[in-house]
Amino acid sequence: MKYGHFDDENREYVIDRVDLPTSWTNYLGVEDITAVVNHTAGGYLFYKTPEYHRISRFRGNSVPMDRPGFYVYLRDNADGDYWSISWQPVGKPLDRAKYTCRHGLSYSVYTCDYADIHAEQMLFIPRGDAVQLWDVKLRNDSDRVRELSLFSYLEFSFHHVMIDNINFQMSLYAAGSSYADGIIEEDLFYEENGYQYFTADFEPDGFDCMRDVFLGTYHTEDDPQAVVNGKCSGSFEKGGNHCGALQKNITLAPHSETRVIFMLGEGNREAGKIMRRKYSDPAKVDAAFSDLKAYWDAKCRKLQIRTPNPGMNTLINTWTLYQSEINVMFSRFASFIEVGGRVGLGYRDTAQDSMTVPHSNPEACRMRIEQLLRGLTSKGYGLHLFQPEWFMEGQKTQSFKSPTVIPRPDKDTIIHGLADACSDDALWLVPSIVEYIRETGDLSFADLKLPYADTFIAAQSAAEAGEKNAEVQTETVYDHMKRILDFSAEQVGQSGVCKGLRADWNDCLNLGGGESALVSFLHYWAMSHFVQLAEELGRTEDAAHYRELMGHVKKVADEKLWDGDWYVRGFTASGRKIGCREDKEGKVHLESNAWAVLSGIADDEKAEKTMQAIDTYLYTKYGLLLNTPSYTVPDDEIGFVTRVYPGLKENGASFSHPNPWAWAAACRIGRGDLAMKFYDALCPYNQNDQIETRESEPYSYCQFIAGKDHSAFGRARHPFMTGSGGWSYFSATRFMLGIRPEFHSLTVDPCIPADWDGFDVTREFRGAIYHITVENPDHVMKGVKQIIADGKETETIPVFAPGSEHSIRVIMG
Ligand code: GLC
């Protein structure tokens, strides 16, 4: 069963059946003010942080589903009938009204045809201005003159989401509202300069700032009293629950159109006046929208593919890039699942996200990498979850203690100890840094000097204790990388394998002093990237040292981690093997096996067998399971994973994030067929007509898909905020299509199904455009026999001058 389709030309997903089984979401805003919205205009807006600076309110996981949001009601004043443009909240029966939702890149458009009125509402956030625009268009499709009233509605939030949701004796008396000059202002009285505004491009015929007055007692968003009556009451108050309701009465001649712009923004009434002046000019709204379109077009243009796989084309060209960018921009803490209770950077997630889009967003990737380098301790482990602001100079403080200012823990607790360190966190950063340098060619990044989290805090303490000239100790990015690699080399258990510590990539595998095969493989991979960088920088001693260490790690892996047909997942603290053939539960794990191959540690025979085991034990039509069979017996030596329901999340679901590791691993051994089989199984595009099973968005990878040990096998959950976005993009483009930036060249080394005749790619690399045609006359899966650049045969594809365009023929065989 399907509810919509992909519109590739416009880079939109069009939902034409809006009664979806669950919310399908989108993200608005690419700078400081951002929103998460769904297909019925439900959602929330925030400024920089969804936890401490909420602008609008949202009742997550509630009934009715996913409210409130950014609503526009229409009322026919001839008969009092009313409806909303985005279907909900009024929710007219779908046999009497036609609704669509189009989710585009950083905008969403809702349309409605009802009672011979065509209505459209577009939500987006212009670049450069901290304001959300609601661009509303109405058309009278009847032969009658229509007398309509139009009402906006959103609920303001107290800035701190927790206080807003649980501490009403504070939140209800800490914000007030007022109306003047066509602008509703919410005043966060407990804050310095805490204001929001809501306004429109017209002189309102009515307004309400008080939620309960607009809705009316025992009414809801379904049937607001003001809309039922056709009249707002002009309410406002110091304290209470506030809303943005502006009314406009409209007379629409037969077949005529009108347009109205609402603006919801950050700042006080004066800020609102400036935005009102600007966006009351529809040409400015159109220009801002074109600018947003151009912003995303420029990003998408960096890599466009044309392959025989339509799902891959649509996802790579638009949606997976979008998902990867969103994860770099938003980190992982804004969705309808993560509704603002936790912000900051998760070390491992952010480190992986930063690796995936240096070609389309080098600035954001670099910003994240630098933040993570500052969040690294001098011992070489990363702070598992931290606020980048803690380690930045010159942070603003407020003159009084305010609940809405991001708190900074005490100096002596800010740097957590080894007991809270995850064994994998910082290892991910090493390849991300090297990828950034390969993409940009900026080798000087390795020499940038930055503090460690603990040296930064130590200098601050010294300065506060009156020490003059207390300087922050800094080291180069290159040195940070060495400390990361050395930490893993030191933190090994009795078999010489890296310790599991609090957790490794799998948050629910808590091996403590036990050992994790995954981390040793990751360590090996990170070192292989570092060695290439060290060689490039002429640091031959370092290159030799870490190459030797790689040899040692490989020896340990061969001797201790190979189980005959696949690799074990690790050892518990008491030395028990897990993920081995004797195991009844958790017999085969995806992460360790995919990484054994992907890292290059497994030699050919072991790699073949390992991929075979992944295919035999873990493959399902909805993607690869994380482990199988699921655990049913709690075992705290293994960890929390054994207490998760079988088939859900980390316990035997198709956990999406590691799936692309297996695609890359399959490519390592030249199995393009297997890589594509795994790719297609997880591919959300391929489930567009199975929404009765999948339920979630077909344009986004989800965190997990219920596995075969669960009754909801195939049901996807938690869209957008998952490492599978970035990793799908990375594995598909770098390994399957094989387009890889190097320090001084561009590699094209595909691994595809043998029945592909070839494919085309346009790639921008360091400012030059490469039109790449891959031909596969011999129908092989891997191997390049000839490269022709601009008509001349070549060994490698060079870095061309910025602004130039080149045609590259790659002939496989
Ligand atoms: C969640 C976490 C991520 C972790 C994964 C597996 O997605 O955000 O850090 O690696 O779960 O446990």
Side-chain angles (χ1 to χ4, degrees):
M1 189 190 291
K2 54 173 143 180
Y3 288 75
H5 63 273
F6 290 88
D7 175 350
D8 286 341
E9 202 176 319
N10 292 306
R11 300 192 196 286
E12 289 178 348
Y13 187 88
V14 183
I15 300 163
D16 44 29
R17 258 198 74 174
V18 287
D19 57 338
L20 291 167
T22 184
S23 263
W24 288 11
T25 47
N26 193 17
Y27 287 78
L28 314 181
V30 295
E31 292 167 355
D32 289 341
I33 185 168
T34 44
V36 193
V37 297
N38 80 345
H39 64 287
T40 64
Y44 58 95
L45 181 72
F46 56 96
Y47 183 74
K48 291 187 179 171
T49 144
E51 184 171 8
Y52 295 97
H53 202 119
R54 219 32 186 261
I55 295 176
S56 75
R57 188 173 281 160
F58 182 69
R59 283 177 277 279
N61 193 26
S62 191
V63 185
M65 193 165 90
D66 303 331
R67 291 194 189 176
F70 312 102
Y71 299 137
V72 176
Y73 298 90
L74 295 173
R75 181 181 193 274
D76 189 336
N77 291 332
D79 57 8
D81 192 12
Y82 59 87
W83 61 102
S84 32
I85 300 178
S86 50
W87 185 41
Q88 296 296 324
V90 177
K92 287 288 185 196
L94 296 178
D95 55 354
R96 289 173 47 212
K98 171 78 195 133
Y99 300 91
T100 65
C101 164
R102 281 158 33 220
H103 284 317
L105 305 187
S106 300
Y107 68 91
S108 291
V109 186
Y110 309 90
T111 64
C112 159
D113 287 280
Y114 177 72
D116 289 333
I117 298 292
H118 175 77
E120 177 179 311
Q121 176 190 0
M122 172 156 73
L123 297 176
F124 76 102
I125 293 169
R127 295 205 299 150
D129 287 322
V131 63
Q132 183 196 43
L133 302 181
W134 309 9
D135 184 359
V136 176
K137 292 173 182 155
L138 302 181
R139 190 181 67 221
N140 178 0
D141 284 342
S142 74
D143 299 326
R144 299 171 281 143
V145 174
R146 307 295 291 270
E147 300 291 342
L148 304 173
S149 288
L150 180 146
F151 301 84
S152 64
Y153 179 73
L154 72 114
E155 239 185 279
F156 281 110
S157 173
F158 186 70
H159 274 172
H160 190 313
V161 72
M162 287 299 201
I163 293 176
D164 192 69
N165 277 296
I166 55 180
N167 188 349
F168 303 121
Q169 75 151 328
M170 178 175 180
S171 63
L172 290 182
Y173 309 101
S177 54
S178 64
Y179 174 87
D181 305 325
I183 302 174
I184 290 173
E185 181 189 74
E186 191 203 25
D187 171 8
L188 284 306
F189 191 59
Y190 280 22
E191 272 179 55
E192 279 170 348
N193 301 318
Y195 299 97
Q196 318 298 157
Y197 65 83
F198 185 68
T199 186
D201 68 340
F202 55 84
E203 285 314 313
D205 295 305
F207 70 87
D208 269 311
C209 304
M210 303 309 296
R211 177 190 75 182
D212 301 337
V213 175
F214 180 78
L215 295 183
T217 317
Y218 290 106
H219 284 247
T220 69
E221 297 102 347
D222 295 4
D223 56 353
Q225 191 72 67
V227 179
V228 172
N229 296 346
K231 202 168 166 22
C232 285
S233 310
S235 59
F236 59 93
E237 200 174 297
K238 291 188 165 66
N241 287 300
H242 309 282
C243 71
L246 294 174
Q247 175 179 356
K248 182 174 169 63
N249 300 331
I250 296 169
T251 303
L252 260 189
H255 305 287
S256 68
E257 296 178 354
T258 190
R259 182 175 181 184
V260 167
I261 316 290
F262 293 99
M263 302 150 220
L264 170 60
E266 170 64 15
N268 62 11
R269 181 166 286 116
E270 290 310 308
K273 277 186 192 162
I274 296 169
M275 287 302 109
R276 189 176 192 225
R277 226 170 287 132
K278 179 167 180 182
Y279 290 111
S280 289
D281 176 358
K284 294 255 165 54
V285 178
D286 293 341
F289 183 64
S290 304
D291 170 72
L292 188 65
K293 275 275 200 194
Y295 169 87
W296 278 110
D297 279 348
K299 283 186 183 298
C300 294
R301 264 203 312 276
K302 303 275 179 196
L303 175 65
Q304 287 292 291
I305 67 167
R306 286 161 301 280
T307 76
N309 186 328
M312 185 180 241
N313 295 346
T314 298
L315 293 190
I316 294 297
N317 289 339
T318 302
W319 293 100
T320 308
L321 176 73
Y322 184 55
Q323 183 172 3
S324 312
E325 285 258 0
I326 280 171
N327 280 328
V328 176
M329 279 191 280
F330 286 76
S331 190
R332 295 284 177 83
F333 299 129
S335 67
F336 279 17
I337 300 297
E338 295 283 359
V339 287
R342 187 172 84 152
V343 292
L345 299 183
Y347 209 100
R348 82 161 72 88
D349 293 345
T350 309
Q352 289 171 82
D353 295 341
S354 320
M355 182 182 69
T356 60
V357 288
H359 67 309
S360 62
N361 207 341
E363 303 80 14
C365 291
R366 179 167 175 149
M367 176 189 76
R368 290 294 187 219
I369 290 171
E370 285 190 26
Q371 288 169 339
L372 292 169
L373 286 163
R374 287 170 178 273
L376 185 77
T377 65
S378 59
K379 298 217 164 26
Y381 63 86
L383 298 183
H384 188 60
L385 177 69
F386 69 98
Q387 298 284 350
E389 295 81 11
W390 295 344
F391 309 113
M392 305 295 282
E393 309 282 356
Q395 288 303 301
K396 260 202 326 217
T397 49
Q398 198 149 252
S399 62
F400 60 98
K401 201 166 171 345
S402 160
T404 55
V405 170
I406 300 179
R408 193 193 155 105
D410 286 343
K411 291 220 173 55
D412 35 342
T413 59
I414 208 165
I415 311 295
H416 68 64
L418 196 57
D420 289 315
C422 288
S423 47
D424 67 319
D425 272 342
L427 282 174
W428 300 104
L429 191 56
V430 175
S432 298
I433 293 168
V434 182
E435 276 303 316
Y436 172 79
I437 295 175
R438 287 192 187 111
E439 181 67 44
T440 59
D442 182 6
L443 281 163
S444 71
F445 184 57
D447 299 325
L448 178 73
K449 287 192 152 191
L450 294 168
Y452 294 98
D454 46 342
T455 56
F456 182 85
I457 297 294
Q460 278 201 333
S461 302
E464 277 169 28
E467 198 179 300
K468 293 225 169 60
N469 309 323
E471 270 192 27
V472 188
Q473 299 296 314
T474 60
E475 274 188 7
T476 62
V477 169
Y478 184 86
D479 290 330
H480 280 67
M481 294 163 91
K482 278 169 66 173
R483 290 202 188 220
I484 294 170
L485 299 175
D486 293 349
F487 173 80
S488 294
E490 283 153 21
Q491 289 297 321
V492 291
Q494 51 190 355
S495 326
V497 174
C498 288
K499 284 186 187 162
L501 304 182
R502 175 178 137 181
D504 62 20
W505 170 87
N506 188 332
D507 271 330
C508 302
L509 198 75
N510 314 113
L511 297 173
E515 294 157 275
S516 161
L518 167 68
V519 181
S520 278
F521 301 155
L522 205 55
H523 186 208
Y524 184 88
W525 192 62
M527 287 194 285
S528 70
H529 282 268
F530 181 79
V531 163
Q532 287 175 28
L533 178 67
E535 272 165 0
E536 185 57 37
L537 294 171
R539 313 278 286 255
T540 44
E541 268 179 36
D542 284 339
H545 169 70
Y546 288 100
R547 204 176 295 109
E548 195 187 322
L549 204 50
M550 283 173 72
H552 172 70
V553 174
K554 177 164 166 40
K555 189 161 173 285
V556 171
D558 285 342
E559 286 170 8
K560 310 281 177 165
L561 297 173
W562 178 244
D563 195 49
D565 287 310
W566 61 84
Y567 285 88
V568 301
R569 183 64 177 83
F571 305 101
T572 65
S574 66
R576 232 175 350 125
K577 249 201 288 186
I578 51 173
C580 58
R581 69 184 109 174
E582 295 84 33
D583 276 335
K584 296 262 176 307
E585 301 188 339
K587 192 181 183 75
V588 185
H589 291 248
L590 178 56
E591 313 99 298
S592 43
N593 284 301
W595 271 104
V597 181
L598 170 52
S599 67
I601 223 169
D603 51 35
D604 291 351
E605 199 194 324
K606 291 194 180 82
E608 291 281 347
K609 282 188 166 179
T610 302
M611 292 316 295
Q612 187 58 51
I614 290 179
D615 193 21
T616 307
Y617 289 94
L618 302 175
Y619 176 79
T620 76
K621 60 182 174 175
Y622 302 117
L624 300 169
L625 303 174
L626 190 56
N627 48 55
T628 200
S630 307
Y631 291 101
T632 60
V633 184
D635 182 340
D636 293 326
E637 250 210 337
I638 296 175
F640 189 71
V641 60
T642 59
R643 293 180 181 273
V644 175
Y645 277 130
L648 293 186
K649 296 207 29 120
E650 280 91 340
N651 190 14
S654 288
F655 207 93
S656 303
H657 184 151
N659 269 252
W661 299 343
W663 316 342
C667 292
R668 276 259 158 161
I669 61 161
R671 289 291 304 277
D673 55 342
L674 204 57
M676 197 58 74
K677 172 179 164 183
F678 295 166
Y679 179 90
D680 278 338
L682 192 75
C683 185
Y685 178 100
N686 291 345
Q687 289 152 25
N688 192 46
D689 57 359
Q690 295 168 46
I691 299 304
E692 69 284 8
T693 305
R694 178 179 172 84
E695 293 196 353
S696 294
E697 296 88 325
Y699 47 88
S700 166
Y701 286 96
C702 285
Q703 188 201 51
F704 75 96
I705 294 116
K708 59 183 167 55
D709 294 337
H710 192 273
S711 53
F713 179 43
R715 183 191 295 160
R717 281 290 181 264
H718 306 178
F720 280 105
M721 308 274 100
T722 147
S724 42
W727 264 102
S728 300
Y729 195 78
F730 191 82
S731 289
T733 59
R734 305 279 212 292
F735 288 91
M736 297 173 74
L737 303 179
I739 317 285
R740 286 195 291 275
E742 311 287 355
F743 295 118
H744 301 292
S745 59
L746 185 70
T747 290
V748 181
D749 177 23
C751 185
I752 55 176
D755 61 4
W756 279 23
D757 292 328
F759 62 92
D760 296 334
V761 172
T762 306
R763 172 69 149 91
E764 282 185 40
F765 178 50
R766 302 202 200 151
I769 299 174
Y770 296 69
H771 299 286
I772 302 163
T773 306
V774 175
E775 297 162 28
N776 189 18
D778 301 340
H779 289 279
V780 297
M781 291 197 276
K782 199 173 165 79
V784 167
K785 67 178 179 199
Q786 202 183 11
I787 304 172
I788 301 158
D790 295 329
K792 281 195 228 85
E793 189 156 351
T794 174
E795 286 288 302
T796 52
I797 305 171
V799 176
F800 288 113
S804 59
E805 288 199 33
H806 304 272
S807 78
I808 314 289
R809 271 180 73 203
V810 174
I811 299 154
M812 296 178 69

